[in-house]
Amino acid sequence: PEGVGSVRELLPTLERASQQRSAILVAAPRFDPELLDVMSINADRGTLVALPLRGSAAECERLANLCGATPVPRVDLQSGYLPHSVYGRALLCVAGADQTMVVAPSP
C-alpha cells in the first residue's frame, strides 16, 4: 500500500517469478526508479516478464482482491519473507497509459 522503495524489497519475489518462469504483475502507488530499471533490464534479457502497475492504494487493493492477492505493507517487503498466500493469480492483464484490464480466475 505504501509503494516499493528499493529493489531489495521485491528481490525475493522477482527471483521466485524468474525461477518459476512465470510472469509477474506488481501494483503499487509508487516504485523506486532503480527497481523499474532492474525489471526492464531483466525483461530485455528474457529472464523475467514483469509488469509494474502504478495506481492509488485503493486501486491496488481492488486489483489484489480481484486476483486473490493480499496487499503487503512495506515493512513486510523489507523483511524479505512473503508467504505464498499473499500472491494472487490473473489469467490475463492488458495495461495501457490510462486503463488496465485484468481477467482473474473464478474464486
Side-chain angles (χ1 to χ4, degrees):
E2 300 92 0
V4 182
S6 73
V7 173
R8 186 179 66 80
E9 293 173 14
L10 274 190
L11 197 55
T13 297
L14 299 177
E15 287 175 345
R16 178 184 191 161
S18 179
Q19 290 170 354
Q20 294 178 354
R21 300 220 179 269
S22 62
I24 186 163
L25 182 151
V26 181
R30 66 174 195 79
F31 290 95
D32 174 68
E34 184 181 352
L35 171 64
L36 297 175
D37 289 343
V38 166
M39 292 170 88
S40 177
I41 290 167
N42 280 290
D44 289 345
R45 291 181 179 166
T47 57
L48 177 67
V49 176
L51 174 64
L53 284 179
R54 189 170 51 97
S56 69
E59 291 168 328
C60 293
E61 185 171 349
R62 182 170 178 245
L63 177 62
N65 289 335
L66 287 170
C67 296
T70 302
V72 178
R74 189 156 176 228
V75 68
D76 288 352
L77 291 176
Q78 291 169 341
S79 77
Y81 171 74
L82 295 179
H84 184 71
S85 61
V86 302
Y87 298 100
R89 181 165 170 80
L91 302 174
L92 174 70
C93 181
V94 179
D98 58 355
Q99 185 175 356
T100 301
M101 181 185 75
V102 175
V103 177
S106 300

